[in-house]
Each structure stands twice: as structure tokens, then as C-alpha cells.
């Protein structure tokens, strides 16, 4: 990967060595259930990016972004990252995701405890026994599972769905992130409400949010208002969903409720401290954000 990344984007090595995310894995019960959750996950991923934005510094200085981690993914490897517009096609299902994954260039094959470099090669060729790095060999299910882990869209499908849009953060936010997604996806009413809300969002609008949120966060203009207003509604839906589950989980959302109430993302709080009491030094971050 280290050798291949610079060939396909300018920020791949930054992604590998100096970004930190936290991801939530969520179950689905059927193909139809997966499709609904996948669509909601993709449409709302920029909102999660904004709510949890926490990477405004690079090499000790403000970098001009609220989530530099999210920005880095826009120029890491666009063959395997992004917002997957085809998930919103009427024909979408497991098979279409497999077709997409088959065309994502490979990284490696693992044989005899060694990684064999197959960067840029096609899994379709592998299925035909024509992989240049190990000619004549056919893939195992394990090879396919490995390949699926080398795809990095904003939501990734495996035997579960991975929500990949949030920056890492202190433990309260680590608890808030699954609460946010569970309240939206594991409650039928909230899930349907979000599906109804995003039904007329265009692929261009979803991509615009993906592009702009790393810089402008909740202040990103959307239709006749700002993303913050939609985020407020979505956080309320997550809270309602958690309450209907009946496990007393909605308290975990307090951290993000505060973010939508004030409109101030974690990154903006850090920048405020950097420009204020920290005297333009990032070193105090190691004290203030200790776990």
C-alpha cells in the first residue's frame, strides 16, 4: 500500500499514517433491510462527519479544515472511496455491490504468511485464474473477504454495514457515535423518517455535502438553510429511536445534542482554545483531551 498510494492520490500516505477514525458496525436482517440502511448511512454520513469533526490541526497549526481526516479521503484513492451513488439506483442489491467490488483494483493476495503485491490488478482476472502476480491460482473465499476490506467508501458493506465518516475523539463521543446510528437505523420509525427526508436529495447534493462538510461542517449551506438544521432534526430522530428501543440509551447522545444546539463542532472548540487560552500552541491538547 505504501508504494501504491502515491500513484493513485496525493494524500494516501497521510490517511495511512496520520488520521484516526472511529467506526460503527451495524447489522441488517435481509437484502431489503441492508438497502434501506445503506442509503440512510450514505446520505447522512456528511452529518456524522460534521457532528464529530475533530481534526483541525496538521503539524501543530490549523489546516483550514474542521475534519482534515475526511478531506484526506477525497484524494486518497477515488477508485475505492466515496459516496457510491449506485446504492440509490432502483436495481441496487448485493449483486451490484459485488460487481462494484470486483472492479476495485486489488492490493494484495496473502499466501504462505506473505503478502504478494497485486496492486492495480483485477479480481475478475483472479476469478478466471489469470492474476499476473500468481498466474493459474484461483481465489478462496478468504481472498474475497480480504479484498472487501480494501474498499474504503463512506459506508462499507460486509456482513454488516460500517459507518466510516466520523473522526476519532474522546470517550463521550465514542459512545455517542453508535447511539446516533443505532437510534436512526435500528428503529423502524426513525429509519423511515430519514428515508422520506433524503428521498429527493440528488446525487449532486449528496456529493456536495461530502465535499464541503470537511471545511464548513454544520455551517454548510443546504437548500434553503444550513446543514445544522437538518442535523438537529436527525439527532432528534436518533433520540426518539433510542427511546423507543427502551434501553435507556438516549443519554449517550448528550454530546452531539450539545453540538447541534450550539452549532459548534468539536474542531471549532479546539480552534477556539488554540486561538485563546492555548496561545496558538497545540501541545495542551494532550492534557485537555486525555481519556
Amino acid at each position: 500500500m505504501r508504494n501504491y498510494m502515491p500513484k493513485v492520490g496525493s494524500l494516501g500516505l497521510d490517511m495511512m499514517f496520520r488520521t484516526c477514525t472511529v467506526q460503527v458496525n451495524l447489522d441488517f436482517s435481509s437484502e431489503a433491510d441492508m438497502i434501506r440502511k445503506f442509503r440512510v448511512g450514505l446520505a447522512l454520513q456528511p452529518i456524522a462527519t460534521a457532528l464529530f469533526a475533530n481534526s483541525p490541526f496538521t503539524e501543530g497549526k490549523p489546516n483550514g479544515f474542521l475534519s482534515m481526516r475526511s478531506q484526506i479521503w477525497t484524494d486518497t484513492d477515488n477508485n475505492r472511496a466515496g459516496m457510491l451513488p449506485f446504492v440509490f439506483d432502483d436495481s441496487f442489491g448485493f449483486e451490484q455491490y459485488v460487481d462494484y467490488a470486483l472492479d476495485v483494483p486489488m492490493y494484495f493476495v496473502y499466501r504462505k504468511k506473505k503478502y504478494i503485491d497485486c496492486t492495480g490488478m483485477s479480481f475478475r482476472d483472479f476469478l478466471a485464474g489469470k492474476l499476473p502476480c500468481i498466474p493459474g491460482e484461483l481465489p478462496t473465499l478468504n481472498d474475497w473477504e480480504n479484498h472487501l476490506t480494501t474498499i474504503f467508501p463512506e459506508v462499507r458493506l460486509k456482513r454488516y454495514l460500517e459507518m466510516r465518516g466520523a473522526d476519532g475523539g474522546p470517550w463521550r463521543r465514542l459512545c455517542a457515535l453508535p447511539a446516533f446510528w443505532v437510534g436512526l437505523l435500528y428503529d423502524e420509525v426513525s429509519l423511515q423518517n430519514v428515508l422520506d427526508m433524503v428521498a429527493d436529495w440528488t446525487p449532486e447534493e449528496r456529493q456536495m455535502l461530502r465535499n464541503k462538510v470537511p471545511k464548513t461542517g454544520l455551517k454548510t449551506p443546504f437548500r434553503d438553510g444550513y446543514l445544522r438544521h437538518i442535523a438537529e432534526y436527525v439527532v432528534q430522530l436518533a433520540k426518539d429511536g433510542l427511546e423507543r428501543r427502551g434501553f435507556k440509551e438516549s443519554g449517550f447522545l448528550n454530546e452531539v445534542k450539545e453540538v447541534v444546539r450550539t452549532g459548534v463542532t468539536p474542531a471549532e472548540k479546539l480552534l477556539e482554545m488554540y486561538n485563546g487560552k492555548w496561545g496558538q500552541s497545540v501541545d495542551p491538547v494532550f492534557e485537555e483531551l486525555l481519556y
Side-chain angles (χ1 to χ4, degrees), residues 2-3 27 36 88 146 167 185 202 218 221 238:
R2 192 183 294 142
N3 295 333
D27 294 307
R36 296 169 78 219
F88 294 85
N146 282 340
D167 288 358
L185 298 196
T202 65
L218 292 173

Side-chain angles (χ1 to χ4, degrees), residues 33-275:
D33 189 46
M34 174 279 291
I35 293 167
R36 296 169 78 219
K37 289 173 175 171
F38 207 157
R39 287 174 179 165
V40 165
L42 281 169
L44 298 190
Q45 212 56 224
I47 289 180
T49 300
L51 290 173
F52 293 87
N54 196 38
S55 46
F57 303 119
T58 303
E59 295 179 8
K61 297 273 182 289
N63 52 33
F65 292 88
L66 300 178
S67 177
M68 186 61 188
R69 183 205 60 83
S70 182
Q71 179 62 20
I72 280 169
W73 274 109
T74 64
D75 193 10
T76 289
D77 181 350
N78 287 328
N79 282 321
R80 66 185 75 244
M83 290 290 278
L84 309 187
F86 65 86
V87 171
F88 294 85
D89 294 349
D90 292 341
S91 61
F92 179 68
F94 290 135
E95 190 175 349
Q96 285 71 19
Y97 193 82
V98 168
D99 287 339
Y100 157 73
L102 284 172
D103 289 323
V104 171
M106 290 176 66
Y107 274 157
F108 62 82
V109 172
Y110 192 63
R111 289 286 184 278
K112 298 179 185 160
K113 301 192 177 168
K114 282 199 172 65
Y115 287 96
I116 299 164
D117 184 351
C118 303
T119 46
M121 296 175 194
S122 155
F123 208 95
R124 289 184 193 275
D125 289 348
F126 198 4
L127 285 172
K130 295 178 180 165
L131 201 61
C133 58
I134 42 169
E137 281 223 33
L138 291 169
T140 64
L141 198 52
N142 210 35
D143 291 323
W144 175 242
E145 285 182 5
N146 282 340
H147 180 60
L148 289 179
T149 67
T150 68
I151 302 173
F152 309 126
E154 291 296 288
V155 177
R156 177 161 70 182
L157 175 61
K158 295 184 180 167
R159 293 181 188 183
Y160 43 82
L161 285 163
E162 288 178 6
M163 304 294 141
R164 299 170 51 86
D167 288 358
W171 72 263
R172 279 189 188 85
R173 289 206 290 280
L174 300 190
C175 297
L177 187 65
F180 174 76
W181 286 115
V182 164
L184 294 170
L185 298 196
Y186 281 10
D187 175 75
E188 184 50 43
V189 179
S190 290
L191 181 61
Q192 193 54 52
N193 278 332
V194 177
L195 281 165
D196 293 344
M197 177 183 78
V198 304
D200 69 342
W201 292 12
T202 65
E204 293 74 24
E205 283 177 316
R206 292 193 300 268
Q207 190 59 46
M208 178 278 292
L209 289 176
R210 168 72 190 95
N211 293 347
K212 292 192 172 172
V213 156
K215 199 172 184 75
T216 48
L218 292 173
K219 296 179 177 71
T220 305
F222 186 70
R223 296 194 174 178
D224 53 358
Y226 290 96
L227 193 61
R228 176 187 169 186
H229 303 132
I230 296 168
E232 228 165 341
Y233 173 62
V234 166
V235 169
Q236 184 60 47
L237 289 179
K239 179 175 176 284
D240 295 345
L242 290 176
E243 284 174 355
R244 279 189 290 269
R245 271 164 60 86
F247 297 124
K248 299 187 176 155
E249 299 156 315
S250 58
F252 290 119
L253 283 177
N254 289 347
E255 193 77 0
V256 285
K257 274 172 28 194
E258 183 63 12
V259 173
V260 288
R261 189 184 66 75
T262 59
V264 180
T265 62
E268 287 162 308
K269 274 192 180 163
L270 290 177
L271 288 165
E272 209 176 289
M273 291 191 279
Y274 172 86
N275 288 313

Side-chain angles (χ1 to χ4, degrees), residues 268-287:
E268 287 162 308
K269 274 192 180 163
L270 290 177
L271 288 165
E272 209 176 289
M273 291 191 279
Y274 172 86
N275 288 313
K277 63 177 182 178
W278 295 356
Q280 302 206 324
S281 161
V282 294
D283 295 350
V285 83
F286 299 105
E287 296 294 322

